[in-house]
């Protein structure tokens, strides 16, 4: 069973609280998403392997630890997952970025695919699938299905807010995937929105409502 890690660092909690507020502007919402992505990436990359490398400082040669050429892939679930990409890339600028386009059918709440473009060596990469919201878990599970169908194996899911229902579904459908979240909320409402949540993440990031 995949583990669930709640990143309860005070800075992350404070910024998520600001994102939840209904009167937070689109500009501030987007900026907060970028900042939280950076903070979460810092935590999520804690176990990346290092290797000892010899370098020259202005004073002498010395051995230092550097990242062991671990190839990462960041895969946002469109649209809202895009809000995480820049923040993560500012910490791991060599990561490749894939895109999976999914939207939830408003009636059935089932994910509908419209786009998928992944790095071609996806099977070799450590993959972070990013999406701010894990509600029913349908979108995250479908996105990870597509990645696995194309050879991706080493996968972590990262989101801001998760409902217990979404965590259960994702753990059952993808028991090999660890889940990193900033907050676990109470439940879903009758429209499958997270309560208390932050509303529609895509609309709030891009000002479309
Ligand atoms: C939102 C969110 C997730 C999905 C989560 O996307 O960004 O992808 O809903 O819900 P689920 O866990 O019930 O599948 P949405 O479908 O609103 O599309 P958008 O990002 O284009 O707005
Ligand atoms: N998608 C969102 O953007 N918000 C929710 O609360 C649930 C799904």
């Amino acid at each position: 069973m995949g583990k669930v890690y709640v990143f309860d660092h005070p800075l992350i909690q404070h910024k998520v609280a600001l994102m939840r507020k209904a009167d937070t502007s689109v500009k501030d919402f987007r900026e907060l998403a970028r900042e939280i992505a950076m903070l979460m990436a810092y935590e999520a990359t804690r176990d990346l392997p290092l290797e000892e490398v010899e370098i020259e400082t202005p004073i002498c040669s010395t051995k230092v630890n550097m990242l062991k050429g671990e190839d990462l892939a960041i895969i946002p679930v469109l649209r809202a997952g895009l809000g995480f990409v820049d923040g993560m890339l500012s910490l791991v600028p060599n990561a490749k970025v894939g895109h999976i386009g999914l939207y939830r059918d408003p009636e059935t709440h089932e994910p509908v695919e419209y786009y998928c473009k992944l790095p071609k060596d996806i099977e070799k990469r450590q993959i972070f699938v990013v999406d701010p919201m894990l509600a029913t878990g349908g979108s995250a599970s479908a996105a990870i299905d597509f990645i696995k169908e194309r050879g991706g194996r080493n996968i972590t899911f990262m989101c801001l807010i998760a409902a217990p229902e979404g965590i259960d579904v994702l753990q059952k459908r993808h028991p090999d995937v660890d889940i990193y979240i900033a907050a676990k909320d109470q439940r879903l409402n009758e429209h499958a929105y997270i309560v208390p949540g932050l509303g529609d993440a895509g609309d709030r990031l891009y000002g479309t409502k």
Side-chain angles (χ1 to χ4, degrees):
M1 182 69 74
K3 295 196 184 65
V4 179
Y5 298 93
V6 183
F7 290 163
D8 54 1
H9 190 289
L11 285 176
I12 296 178
Q13 294 306 301
H14 179 76
K15 288 175 193 294
V16 172
L18 292 174
M19 289 185 79
R20 290 183 188 276
K21 290 176 70 173
D23 61 357
T24 295
S25 70
V26 171
K27 174 176 172 294
D28 288 347
F29 190 91
R30 207 162 38 224
E31 184 58 24
L32 287 161
R34 200 184 68 80
E35 291 169 0
I36 294 170
M38 213 176 342
L39 294 167
M40 289 185 78
Y42 177 75
E43 292 282 351
T45 51
R46 180 175 290 280
D47 294 329
L48 287 185
L50 294 169
E51 65 183 340
E52 206 171 58
V53 177
E54 180 136 352
I55 60 153
E56 297 290 327
T57 76
I59 310 297
C60 66
S61 30
T62 185
K63 289 191 171 133
V64 292
N65 286 324
M66 298 187 80
L67 284 177
K68 195 181 168 191
E70 184 80 355
D71 292 322
L72 303 186
I74 301 166
I75 304 187
V77 180
L78 307 181
R79 274 176 307 173
L82 284 176
F84 267 39
V85 174
D86 284 353
M88 292 187 74
L89 279 178
S90 60
L91 288 198
V92 284
N94 293 329
K96 296 281 193 298
V97 181
H99 295 86
I100 295 182
L102 290 173
Y103 68 87
R104 287 201 317 181
D105 182 285
E107 302 297 324
T108 65
H109 308 138
E110 288 294 319
V112 181
E113 182 199 357
Y114 60 90
Y115 189 75
C116 182
K117 181 85 179 172
L118 304 180
K120 63 177 184 310
D121 56 353
I122 194 69
E123 71 285 351
K124 294 190 201 133
R125 293 183 175 268
Q126 180 169 347
I127 299 164
F128 289 93
V129 179
V130 295
D131 189 334
M133 311 304 275
L134 180 64
T136 64
S139 302
S141 300
I144 294 169
D145 286 341
F146 296 139
I147 295 167
K148 287 184 175 174
E149 279 161 21
R150 290 159 177 83
R153 286 291 165 261
N154 185 0
I155 303 170
T156 299
F157 181 77
M158 198 162 118
C159 76
L160 279 184
I161 299 181
E165 296 89 330
I167 293 174
D168 284 352
V169 166
L170 188 52
Q171 281 187 317
K172 286 202 179 92
R173 283 184 53 181
H174 295 289
D176 55 314
V177 171
D178 287 343
I179 305 172
Y180 294 160
I181 65 180
K184 181 172 172 182
D185 273 12
Q186 292 161 16
R187 61 183 172 86
L188 298 178
N189 69 14
E190 64 278 20
H191 305 293
Y193 274 83
I194 299 175
V195 180
L198 51 69
D200 187 303
D203 285 337
R204 296 203 61 190
L205 273 168
Y206 299 112
T208 40
K209 221 175 226 169

